[in-house]
Amino acid sequence: MVVYALISRQAFRRYLTYRGAMVGGVLANTVFGIIKAFIMMAVWRQRPSIGGYDVADAVTYVFLAQAMIGPMSTLNNGLDIPARIRSGDIGTDLFRPCDFQAYWLANDLGRAAFSVLGRSVVPFVIGALLFHLHLPTDPRVWAAFVVALFLGTVVSFALRYLAAMSTFWLLDEKGVVGMATVVTSFFSGMIVPLVLFPGWLGQLARLLPFAALVQLPADVFLGKRSGGAVGTGYLFEIGWAVALLLAGRLVTRRARHRVVVQGG
């Protein structure tokens, strides 16, 4: 555990050096958050309550979603695995004295921690200054949100890991990663809250693992889940995280065998 904690810390420090990218990300998230907030306000003026959300909930959701772009890495894969496969450096990675998948998970958690502190807080604070947001007053809600956010980050990693590992067979991951990004953005609630999805589509979206990335943590923050519903949400995230991580382990085993067969 000490090794993986050090990996996370080094990843955090590495991303900290890219201050220009951090400023650009903050600016982009803030500007697009403001634009989306005005769009949501226009939608909610036509229907004051949609899916249990009022206009303050909707605007708060917008800035929460913008804040989660970084830690969830919903607009890019966020993993360097494909580049290392093409360069051949992956051979060294696979035979390091630590678990390959756990190494990348620790690395990604360090990146996500930096994203929260460096790229998520400022856009949300600016949103709170410009608009009336729904902010929890109970510290237990904040704590529950942090747990949901952490579990959602693990689910996000597991999904992106599978997409990145496809490079072992395709050599060019752009198609798979691009499709995964589109599907994730749509079904996670990153573009619009899942409460706007009609009928069966909304029910299906809430059953898929992508809901753990944005919609579920946002519902916890907004108080749409409380008591036992929060625990059920955690079980949903943990269940998908375990299933996807196990799938990742199977893929890793096949990938390692493929490297050996190729003589790498």
Side-chain angles (χ1 to χ4, degrees):
M1 294 304 297
V2 173
V3 172
Y4 298 120
L6 290 173
I7 292 170
S8 294
R9 188 183 72 174
Q10 288 301 110
F12 183 96
R13 295 178 63 181
R14 183 171 68 253
Y15 281 93
L16 187 61
T17 61
Y18 299 105
R19 294 182 177 86
M22 179 180 69
V23 173
V26 168
L27 181 61
N29 288 356
T30 303
V31 171
F32 281 104
I34 292 171
I35 294 172
K36 290 174 66 177
F38 280 117
I39 294 173
M40 288 297 178
M41 290 170 67
V43 171
W44 257 259
R45 283 197 189 99
Q46 303 302 313
R47 292 182 59 185
S49 179
I50 304 176
Y53 278 45
D54 59 22
V55 66
D57 292 333
V59 175
T60 304
Y61 184 97
V62 165
F63 285 99
L64 282 172
Q66 291 300 112
M68 283 187 265
I69 288 176
M72 299 301 177
S73 200
T74 52
L75 300 183
N76 57 72
N77 187 269
L79 299 174
D80 297 330
I81 294 173
R84 296 187 68 80
I85 291 174
R86 286 190 290 270
S87 68
D89 292 335
I90 200 69
T92 302
D93 296 342
L94 285 169
F95 291 98
R96 282 176 175 162
C98 63
D99 184 82
F100 179 80
Q101 187 184 36
Y103 167 84
W104 284 104
L105 174 57
N107 186 79
D108 197 60
L109 290 176
R111 178 205 58 81
F114 164 77
S115 295
V116 170
L117 297 178
R119 302 181 61 171
S120 300
V121 174
V122 173
F124 189 83
V125 170
I126 293 175
L129 293 174
L130 296 178
F131 300 92
H132 173 63
L133 302 188
H134 181 124
L135 301 177
T137 57
D138 189 342
R140 291 175 297 181
V141 176
W142 287 93
F145 169 71
V146 170
V147 175
L149 183 65
F150 171 77
L151 294 174
T153 303
V154 176
V155 175
S156 171
F157 163 78
L159 289 166
R160 290 181 285 111
Y161 181 83
L162 289 171
M165 291 294 284
S166 68
T167 314
F168 271 102
W169 290 268
L170 303 177
L171 297 183
D172 188 343
E173 83 293 353
K174 292 183 179 64
V176 174
V177 170
M179 180 60 68
T181 299
V182 171
V183 173
T184 299
S185 298
F186 184 73
F187 283 107
S188 67
M190 178 59 65
I191 300 175
V192 295
L194 298 185
V195 296
L196 292 177
F197 285 23
W200 66 269
L201 183 60
Q203 295 176 3
L204 173 63
R206 288 180 177 275
L207 294 176
L208 296 175
F210 312 105
L213 277 59
V214 179
Q215 184 66 57
L216 197 151
D219 281 344
V220 172
F221 185 91
L222 294 171
K224 306 304 177 184
R225 285 178 175 267
S226 59
V230 174
T232 302
Y234 290 164
L235 290 176
F236 173 83
E237 292 181 300
I238 291 171
W240 274 116
V242 170
L244 292 168
L245 289 173
L246 286 176
R249 298 199 75 80
L250 292 176
V251 170
T252 303
R253 184 179 302 174
R254 295 297 303 166
R256 189 186 298 276
H257 176 71
R258 183 176 180 82
V259 170
V260 171
V261 168
Q262 290 179 341

